[in-house]
Amino acid sequence: METKTYPDYETLSAAVAQIMCDNIRQKPTAVICLASGHTPLLPCRLFVQKANDEHLHISEATFLGLDEWVGVPPENEGSCHYFLYNTVFNPLGLQAGQIHVFNGMAEDLSIECETMDDVIENNGGIDLMIVGIGMNGHIGFNEPGVPFNHLSHVIELDKTTIEVGQKYFPAATTLTKGITIGLQHLMNANKVLLIANGEKKAAIIQQTIESEVSNQIPATIMQTHKNGIIMIDAAASSLLS
Ligand code: GLP
């Protein structure tokens, strides 16, 4: 694992967008998995801008949504679906067959998980994952205590996730479970970028990089990834020793 620090969120975001474009340029059939949330917003916008400006050949790439709130419909602006379609998929003009996201409203969530696992396998694995980090050290909805060898699964949300998650929703929303790509997929991915910005992420970033690897802080798994990069701004790096 490598740690890269950037002066601010803008330069961090530009670096992430560059890696995304380079990845697709090198491998037009790349499988890219994207987190939603506030951190990936600017990286995703810059990626779309760059891809469009540079006429990046994107029609053979596959895009996966990392996670979703169970019971939240896609038209809810707090859903991961809403974020990814509005920020990335629609502005890029992707075809439906290039996109695979979890349906948090599905009657049978185990089928959602199996379908995602099959898509990943049938496309030869994930080439690039862009993930954020929760205030409790989660990645996607891989909450504290999650086994590291899980593929896609449904999980009870941690108290912190439920509280912090309210920030995405226009009104108070009942959040109980999440559906997520698992950490075994992250370990199998060719390259993983864990991105974080701002002072509020400094403590969890310090623990992620400097604590022992433990599923109590799921993001510590990054320490064991052969091609994992923690990309942070100066504020998020401020507690590193
Ligand atoms: C959310 C999502 C994650 C996201 C993380 C951080 O709950 N499940 O995929 O990466 O928390 O979000 P943010 O970037 O808004 O801080």
Side-chain angles (χ1 to χ4, degrees):
M1 184 198 73
E2 207 185 329
T3 302
K4 288 189 178 167
T5 304
Y6 299 83
D8 50 41
Y9 180 51
E10 286 69 27
T11 48
L12 160 66
S13 300
V16 174
Q18 182 70 50
I19 293 173
M20 293 170 79
C21 287
D22 288 348
N23 208 284
I24 294 172
R25 208 170 284 115
Q26 280 156 16
K27 185 180 178 188
T29 57
V31 178
I32 315 253
C33 175
L34 295 176
S36 44
H38 291 161
T39 317
L41 186 61
L42 189 57
C44 284
R45 281 187 180 150
L46 295 178
F47 163 63
V48 168
Q49 201 181 343
K50 220 172 154 43
N52 284 337
D53 288 354
E54 296 173 11
H55 304 290
L56 192 67
H57 178 72
I58 206 133
S59 58
E60 290 178 88
T62 298
F63 288 83
L64 312 177
L66 176 65
D67 55 5
E68 186 57 280
W69 307 98
V70 169
V72 171
E75 62 276 12
N76 184 318
E77 56 187 82
S79 71
C80 300
H81 181 115
Y82 188 96
F83 171 89
L84 289 173
Y85 273 78
N86 282 281
T87 316
V88 184
F89 303 158
N90 291 340
L92 280 178
L94 298 183
Q95 300 298 306
Q98 295 180 263
I99 303 168
H100 300 276
V101 296
F102 292 115
N103 174 8
M105 298 298 284
E107 217 163 281
D108 189 342
L109 293 167
S110 65
I111 296 179
E112 290 296 299
C113 293
E114 279 166 30
T115 306
M116 185 62 84
D117 292 343
D118 287 349
V119 166
I120 293 171
E121 197 180 323
N122 296 339
N123 283 284
I126 299 173
D127 291 290
L128 176 65
M129 271 179 106
I130 318 283
V131 302
I133 182 169
M135 297 299 285
N136 58 2
H138 75 196
I139 291 179
F141 284 130
N142 290 280
E143 298 284 35
V146 71
F148 281 172
N149 63 358
H150 270 16
L151 297 176
S152 300
H153 61 280
V154 176
I155 193 165
E156 293 287 331
L157 295 175
D158 189 66
K159 197 169 158 276
T160 307
T161 302
I162 292 171
E163 283 168 16
V164 176
Q166 296 301 325
K167 70 179 178 173
Y168 305 116
F169 295 91
T173 303
T174 305
L175 303 170
T176 54
K177 290 182 181 167
I179 181 167
T180 187
I181 284 177
L183 294 176
Q184 184 65 59
H185 284 307
L186 178 137
M187 285 307 291
N188 296 345
N190 282 339
K191 189 176 191 123
V192 182
L193 313 180
L194 184 151
I195 57 175
N197 69 296
E199 209 180 321
K200 66 178 185 305
K201 292 283 172 75
I204 194 63
I205 282 295
Q206 192 245 339
Q207 291 177 62
T208 296
I209 296 173
E210 295 178 4
S211 299
E212 265 178 45
V213 177
S214 154
N215 67 354
Q216 293 309 311
I217 304 175
T220 54
I221 197 172
M222 284 295 290
Q223 293 179 29
T224 69
H225 197 283
K226 58 184 186 312
N227 199 8
I229 313 180
I230 297 199
M231 298 174 73
I232 48 181
D233 71 352
S237 77
S238 57
L239 294 177
L240 292 178
S241 48

